[in-house]
Amino acid sequence: MKRDYVAPTERGRRRHDWFKKHAKPGMTFDEAVRLNKETLRRFPLTEKSAD
């Protein structure tokens, strides 16, 4: 089943850029999970999540 393309949002682009800037080669799995949680806290997936 092919998924429909959804254009990236401004928040999604900022989330991607922030994560990419802070991710480092050789990070442990736990560090990557922590970074991902921090990214989602800063840039929630939805407006409702921001509350």
PDB file of all heavy atoms in Angstrom, residues 2 4 10 12 14 21 24 31 35-36 38-39 41 46-47 49:
ATOM      1  N   LYS A   2       0.676   2.098  -0.955  1.00  0.00           N
ATOM      2  CA  LYS A   2       1.476   3.309  -1.077  1.00  0.00           C
ATOM      3  C   LYS A   2       0.867   4.430  -0.233  1.00  0.00           C
ATOM      4  O   LYS A   2      -0.329   4.659  -0.262  1.00  0.00           O
ATOM      5  CB  LYS A   2       1.538   3.746  -2.545  1.00  0.00           C
ATOM      6  CG  LYS A   2       2.479   4.882  -2.781  1.00  0.00           C
ATOM      7  CD  LYS A   2       2.591   5.191  -4.255  1.00  0.00           C
ATOM      8  CE  LYS A   2       3.530   6.351  -4.462  1.00  0.00           C
ATOM      9  NZ  LYS A   2       3.666   6.668  -5.878  1.00  0.00           N
ATOM     10  N   ASP A   4       0.260   8.323   0.870  1.00  0.00           N
ATOM     11  CA  ASP A   4       0.146   9.618   0.209  1.00  0.00           C
ATOM     12  C   ASP A   4       1.265  10.528   0.687  1.00  0.00           C
ATOM     13  O   ASP A   4       1.645  10.512   1.863  1.00  0.00           O
ATOM     14  CB  ASP A   4      -1.204  10.270   0.518  1.00  0.00           C
ATOM     15  CG  ASP A   4      -2.357   9.499  -0.099  1.00  0.00           C
ATOM     16  OD1 ASP A   4      -2.150   8.854  -1.140  1.00  0.00           O
ATOM     17  OD2 ASP A   4      -3.464   9.567   0.471  1.00  0.00           O
ATOM     18  N   GLU A  10       6.600  23.640   8.325  1.00  0.00           N
ATOM     19  CA  GLU A  10       7.694  24.464   8.848  1.00  0.00           C
ATOM     20  C   GLU A  10       8.210  23.859  10.157  1.00  0.00           C
ATOM     21  O   GLU A  10       9.412  23.783  10.371  1.00  0.00           O
ATOM     22  CB  GLU A  10       7.214  25.903   9.073  1.00  0.00           C
ATOM     23  CG  GLU A  10       8.288  26.802   9.649  1.00  0.00           C
ATOM     24  CD  GLU A  10       9.511  26.957   8.763  1.00  0.00           C
ATOM     25  OE1 GLU A  10       9.385  26.848   7.536  1.00  0.00           O
ATOM     26  OE2 GLU A  10      10.608  27.184   9.319  1.00  0.00           O
ATOM     27  N   GLY A  12       8.092  20.753  11.031  1.00  0.00           N
ATOM     28  CA  GLY A  12       8.809  19.524  10.681  1.00  0.00           C
ATOM     29  C   GLY A  12      10.212  19.819  10.166  1.00  0.00           C
ATOM     30  O   GLY A  12      11.163  19.111  10.490  1.00  0.00           O
ATOM     31  N   ARG A  14      12.012  22.495  10.918  1.00  0.00           N
ATOM     32  CA  ARG A  14      12.804  22.973  12.055  1.00  0.00           C
ATOM     33  C   ARG A  14      13.198  21.800  12.951  1.00  0.00           C
ATOM     34  O   ARG A  14      14.321  21.742  13.455  1.00  0.00           O
ATOM     35  CB  ARG A  14      12.027  24.018  12.848  1.00  0.00           C
ATOM     36  CG  ARG A  14      11.865  25.307  12.083  1.00  0.00           C
ATOM     37  CD  ARG A  14      11.294  26.449  12.886  1.00  0.00           C
ATOM     38  NE  ARG A  14      10.661  26.083  14.126  1.00  0.00           N
ATOM     39  CZ  ARG A  14       9.475  26.509  14.535  1.00  0.00           C
ATOM     40  NH1 ARG A  14       8.782  27.349  13.798  1.00  0.00           N
ATOM     41  NH2 ARG A  14       8.975  26.129  15.682  1.00  0.00           N
ATOM     42  N   LYS A  21      21.460  18.885  13.620  1.00  0.00           N
ATOM     43  CA  LYS A  21      22.524  19.716  14.191  1.00  0.00           C
ATOM     44  C   LYS A  21      23.080  19.095  15.477  1.00  0.00           C
ATOM     45  O   LYS A  21      24.271  19.190  15.751  1.00  0.00           O
ATOM     46  CB  LYS A  21      21.981  21.113  14.485  1.00  0.00           C
ATOM     47  CG  LYS A  21      22.985  22.052  15.093  1.00  0.00           C
ATOM     48  CD  LYS A  21      22.378  23.419  15.335  1.00  0.00           C
ATOM     49  CE  LYS A  21      23.361  24.338  16.039  1.00  0.00           C
ATOM     50  NZ  LYS A  21      22.731  25.618  16.368  1.00  0.00           N
ATOM     51  N   LYS A  24      25.236  13.295  16.751  1.00  0.00           N
ATOM     52  CA  LYS A  24      26.675  13.115  16.565  1.00  0.00           C
ATOM     53  C   LYS A  24      26.968  11.676  16.144  1.00  0.00           C
ATOM     54  O   LYS A  24      26.316  10.746  16.624  1.00  0.00           O
ATOM     55  CB  LYS A  24      27.431  13.415  17.858  1.00  0.00           C
ATOM     56  CG  LYS A  24      27.160  14.790  18.439  1.00  0.00           C
ATOM     57  CD  LYS A  24      27.761  15.869  17.585  1.00  0.00           C
ATOM     58  CE  LYS A  24      27.547  17.234  18.212  1.00  0.00           C
ATOM     59  NZ  LYS A  24      27.062  18.227  17.337  1.00  0.00           N
ATOM     60  N   GLU A  31      21.424   7.763  23.944  1.00  0.00           N
ATOM     61  CA  GLU A  31      21.633   9.179  23.619  1.00  0.00           C
ATOM     62  C   GLU A  31      20.717   9.608  22.479  1.00  0.00           C
ATOM     63  O   GLU A  31      20.152  10.706  22.514  1.00  0.00           O
ATOM     64  CB  GLU A  31      23.089   9.433  23.237  1.00  0.00           C
ATOM     65  CG  GLU A  31      24.048   9.304  24.395  1.00  0.00           C
ATOM     66  CD  GLU A  31      25.503   9.317  23.964  1.00  0.00           C
ATOM     67  OE1 GLU A  31      25.809   8.888  22.827  1.00  0.00           O
ATOM     68  OE2 GLU A  31      26.334   9.764  24.765  1.00  0.00           O
ATOM     69  N   LEU A  35      17.829  12.405  22.661  1.00  0.00           N
ATOM     70  CA  LEU A  35      17.825  13.521  21.711  1.00  0.00           C
ATOM     71  C   LEU A  35      16.494  13.592  20.963  1.00  0.00           C
ATOM     72  O   LEU A  35      15.946  14.677  20.752  1.00  0.00           O
ATOM     73  CB  LEU A  35      18.992  13.384  20.735  1.00  0.00           C
ATOM     74  CG  LEU A  35      19.175  14.534  19.757  1.00  0.00           C
ATOM     75  CD1 LEU A  35      19.469  15.833  20.492  1.00  0.00           C
ATOM     76  CD2 LEU A  35      20.307  14.217  18.793  1.00  0.00           C
ATOM     77  N   ASN A  36      15.967  12.443  20.579  1.00  0.00           N
ATOM     78  CA  ASN A  36      14.688  12.418  19.880  1.00  0.00           C
ATOM     79  C   ASN A  36      13.566  12.951  20.780  1.00  0.00           C
ATOM     80  O   ASN A  36      12.722  13.734  20.332  1.00  0.00           O
ATOM     81  CB  ASN A  36      14.365  11.004  19.412  1.00  0.00           C
ATOM     82  CG  ASN A  36      13.201  10.986  18.468  1.00  0.00           C
ATOM     83  OD1 ASN A  36      13.172  11.732  17.493  1.00  0.00           O
ATOM     84  ND2 ASN A  36      12.230  10.135  18.750  1.00  0.00           N
ATOM     85  N   GLU A  38      13.918  15.067  23.252  1.00  0.00           N
ATOM     86  CA  GLU A  38      14.135  16.510  23.380  1.00  0.00           C
ATOM     87  C   GLU A  38      13.643  17.230  22.123  1.00  0.00           C
ATOM     88  O   GLU A  38      13.026  18.290  22.207  1.00  0.00           O
ATOM     89  CB  GLU A  38      15.623  16.798  23.607  1.00  0.00           C
ATOM     90  CG  GLU A  38      15.966  18.254  23.680  1.00  0.00           C
ATOM     91  CD  GLU A  38      15.375  18.981  24.882  1.00  0.00           C
ATOM     92  OE1 GLU A  38      14.959  18.332  25.844  1.00  0.00           O
ATOM     93  OE2 GLU A  38      15.326  20.224  24.845  1.00  0.00           O
ATOM     94  N   THR A  39      13.910  16.654  20.958  1.00  0.00           N
ATOM     95  CA  THR A  39      13.452  17.250  19.702  1.00  0.00           C
ATOM     96  C   THR A  39      11.932  17.350  19.675  1.00  0.00           C
ATOM     97  O   THR A  39      11.378  18.390  19.331  1.00  0.00           O
ATOM     98  CB  THR A  39      13.942  16.421  18.498  1.00  0.00           C
ATOM     99  OG1 THR A  39      15.360  16.304  18.557  1.00  0.00           O
ATOM    100  CG2 THR A  39      13.543  17.053  17.189  1.00  0.00           C
ATOM    101  N   ARG A  41       9.936  17.378  22.219  1.00  0.00           N
ATOM    102  CA  ARG A  41       9.477  18.322  23.244  1.00  0.00           C
ATOM    103  C   ARG A  41       9.562  19.750  22.703  1.00  0.00           C
ATOM    104  O   ARG A  41       8.649  20.553  22.884  1.00  0.00           O
ATOM    105  CB  ARG A  41      10.329  18.199  24.512  1.00  0.00           C
ATOM    106  CG  ARG A  41       9.826  19.057  25.653  1.00  0.00           C
ATOM    107  CD  ARG A  41      10.760  19.042  26.843  1.00  0.00           C
ATOM    108  NE  ARG A  41      12.030  19.702  26.579  1.00  0.00           N
ATOM    109  CZ  ARG A  41      12.208  21.027  26.509  1.00  0.00           C
ATOM    110  NH1 ARG A  41      11.186  21.832  26.673  1.00  0.00           N
ATOM    111  NH2 ARG A  41      13.382  21.537  26.275  1.00  0.00           N
ATOM    112  N   THR A  46       2.044  17.971  16.744  1.00  0.00           N
ATOM    113  CA  THR A  46       0.798  18.684  16.484  1.00  0.00           C
ATOM    114  C   THR A  46       0.683  19.885  17.403  1.00  0.00           C
ATOM    115  O   THR A  46       1.354  19.976  18.428  1.00  0.00           O
ATOM    116  CB  THR A  46      -0.421  17.789  16.730  1.00  0.00           C
ATOM    117  OG1 THR A  46      -0.461  17.444  18.103  1.00  0.00           O
ATOM    118  CG2 THR A  46      -0.389  16.530  15.873  1.00  0.00           C
ATOM    119  N   GLU A  47      -0.191  20.806  17.035  1.00  0.00           N
ATOM    120  CA  GLU A  47      -0.447  21.985  17.877  1.00  0.00           C
ATOM    121  C   GLU A  47      -0.965  21.545  19.244  1.00  0.00           C
ATOM    122  O   GLU A  47      -0.612  22.102  20.251  1.00  0.00           O
ATOM    123  CB  GLU A  47      -1.474  22.895  17.211  1.00  0.00           C
ATOM    124  CG  GLU A  47      -0.941  23.642  16.010  1.00  0.00           C
ATOM    125  CD  GLU A  47       0.147  24.636  16.353  1.00  0.00           C
ATOM    126  OE1 GLU A  47       0.109  25.228  17.460  1.00  0.00           O
ATOM    127  OE2 GLU A  47       1.040  24.835  15.532  1.00  0.00           O
ATOM    128  N   SER A  49      -0.224  18.929  20.900  1.00  0.00           N
ATOM    129  CA  SER A  49       0.894  18.431  21.706  1.00  0.00           C
ATOM    130  C   SER A  49       1.646  19.554  22.382  1.00  0.00           C
ATOM    131  O   SER A  49       2.318  19.357  23.371  1.00  0.00           O
ATOM    132  CB  SER A  49       1.870  17.630  20.838  1.00  0.00           C
ATOM    133  OG  SER A  49       1.246  16.529  20.281  1.00  0.00           O
TER     134      SER A  49
END
